[in-house]
Amino acid sequence: MTRLRTGGVRAAVGAVLALALTGALAGCSSTGGKRAEDARKAAEAQGRAAVDTPRWTVAMVTHSGDGDTFWDIVQKGAKQAAAKDNINFLYAHSDEAQQQAQLIDSYVSKGVDGLIVTLAKPDAMKAAVEKAVKAGIPVITVNSGAAQSKAYGALTHIGQDETVAGEAVGEELDKRGKKKALCVLHEQGNIGHEQRCAGTKKTFGGELVNLYVDGTNMPDVKASIEAKLQSDKDVDAVVTLGAPFADAAVQAAKSAGSKAEVDTFDLNAKVAGALQAGTLGFAVDQQPYLQGYEAVDLLWLYRYNADVLGGGRPVLTGPQIITKDDAAALVDYAERGTR
């Protein structure tokens, strides 16, 4: 009899709960989705996770030097995705390939749950990335190294095709009637930089000259560009390969008395303002915020659901040519550090 009574009570309670749940669902069917979305947005705004998955640790190791605003934007995207996905995000960088590889090795030794790496100098990164993959750590490459990513065992690559981006620049220079352009490479040995200039040369109807500078020394960058413009008055366009170097090129042209148009790869708040002001001709945006955000998000998806995006091919975030007409719509985003 005791069992019958207990079972009857449980059945009655279950029926009441089921009825209450049905009523609750019926009462909020029209607003439940909105409430859930509002709750998610509020959680993100307060830095709280929007998921209840385990707190995995994801590390990013890039080839960035100190003070490169491009990587600040990448990190911002990564950190916002990490907050949403309940990820503990770690970041380290070095513009020395050997040190970058050592940083990757250190995170492998710590047993992180996922790695995001750049392959600006892919040969130097190969062993470290393969070691991570062998240890069972999923790897996503971003920004550079699309051609080597799959071969090294990475899940996918997120970024722009640097050759295609360069080709877009060559086409834009032709549209603007340019005849001789200077392509300023600020990091020797960076395969992505070489691809950008080579792509530009491929589609540009005029003459393209490569100029190698020391990107860790901005006064040297300015002096090198200024000297080249003073010695070659035929140069009517200067293309820098990173947003922080665009302003140095503008100053160099002014000091050299050159009327060469300055254009640049990558976007930040200063570049957006210069586009609006007309001191820069155009910028090539590869959306670094997306590179950081999607890399973290895709590692979360892989850990949670074994999802892989791209089907073995790179997930492209650019290129997009940004001109004065486009800059106004992006200034606010650039100032908050997401474009």
Side-chain angles (χ1 to χ4, degrees):
M1 293 297 292
T2 302
R3 287 182 181 175
L4 287 173
R5 289 196 189 103
T6 302
V9 170
R10 287 176 177 169
V13 171
V16 170
L17 288 174
L19 182 62
L21 181 58
T22 301
L25 289 173
C28 68
S29 60
S30 62
T31 59
K34 183 178 185 304
R35 287 175 181 170
E37 178 66 11
D38 289 346
R40 181 189 66 77
K41 289 180 178 178
E44 287 183 33
Q46 295 174 28
R48 300 201 313 270
V51 297
D52 60 358
T53 47
R55 188 161 176 77
W56 293 310
T57 294
V58 168
M60 176 183 284
V61 184
T62 76
H63 63 277
S64 169
D66 293 329
D68 191 333
T69 56
F70 177 91
W71 294 103
D72 294 339
I73 302 173
V74 174
Q75 285 188 74
K76 192 148 193 172
K79 289 175 180 177
Q80 290 190 357
K84 173 180 70 70
D85 293 337
N86 194 31
I87 295 290
N88 176 35
F89 177 71
L90 306 175
Y91 179 79
H93 68 95
S94 175
D95 54 5
E96 295 292 333
Q98 184 177 359
Q99 290 181 15
Q100 187 189 357
Q102 290 172 352
L103 289 168
I104 294 172
D105 286 341
S106 71
Y107 283 131
V108 172
S109 297
K110 291 176 182 177
V112 296
D113 300 296
L115 267 172
I116 303 164
V117 302
T118 61
L119 303 178
K121 297 172 182 176
D123 290 344
M125 298 299 109
K126 185 176 187 290
V129 173
E130 290 179 341
K131 180 180 178 180
V133 173
K134 187 176 181 180
I137 300 173
V139 177
I140 286 179
T141 60
V142 298
N143 181 257
S144 53
Q148 294 80 12
S149 178
K150 186 176 181 180
Y152 290 5
L155 297 177
T156 193
H157 177 82
I158 303 172
Q160 73 179 3
D161 184 305
E162 301 293 15
T163 299
V164 172
E167 290 172 358
V169 169
E171 292 167 358
E172 185 68 22
L173 290 173
D174 279 343
K175 288 180 184 178
R176 293 165 177 262
K178 303 305 178 183
K179 301 301 181 185
K180 188 171 186 178
L182 199 62
C183 196
V184 184
L185 298 95
H186 60 268
E187 184 182 347
Q188 290 199 40
N190 186 319
I191 188 171
H193 291 182
E194 297 288 347
Q195 289 170 340
R196 289 178 179 183
C197 292
T200 301
K201 186 173 185 177
K202 182 179 177 181
T203 58
F204 181 40
E207 181 183 355
L208 185 80
V209 178
N210 287 357
L211 176 68
Y212 292 89
V213 298
D214 180 4
T216 64
N217 185 339
M218 201 61 77
D220 177 74
V221 173
K222 178 180 177 295
S224 297
I225 297 172
E226 182 179 341
K228 183 63 178 176
L229 291 176
Q230 285 176 335
S231 65
D232 191 346
K233 300 297 184 181
D234 291 334
V235 174
D236 56 6
V238 177
V239 179
T240 62
L241 303 186
F245 305 96
D247 187 56
V250 169
Q251 294 178 35
K254 185 176 181 180
S255 299
S258 171
K259 294 183 179 179
E261 175 183 284
V262 177
D263 309 302
T264 190
F265 281 79
D266 302 333
L267 186 72
N268 62 15
K270 198 163 189 177
V271 167
L275 288 170
Q276 274 195 304
T279 52
L280 287 179
F282 66 89
V284 185
D285 186 20
Q286 61 173 305
Q287 301 184 100
Y289 176 89
L290 263 186
Q291 293 178 15
Y293 189 98
E294 290 301 325
V296 170
D297 218 26
L298 290 183
L299 281 173
W300 177 84
L301 283 166
Y302 181 78
R303 299 288 316 193
Y304 173 66
N305 205 45
D307 287 319
V308 179
L309 196 63
R313 295 187 179 187
V315 178
L316 299 182
T317 62
Q320 180 183 11
I321 299 293
I322 306 295
T323 66
K324 182 176 183 177
D325 294 338
D326 308 308
L330 300 178
V331 166
D332 289 344
Y333 305 139
E335 288 180 349
R336 76 180 183 190
T338 58
R339 286 298 291 264

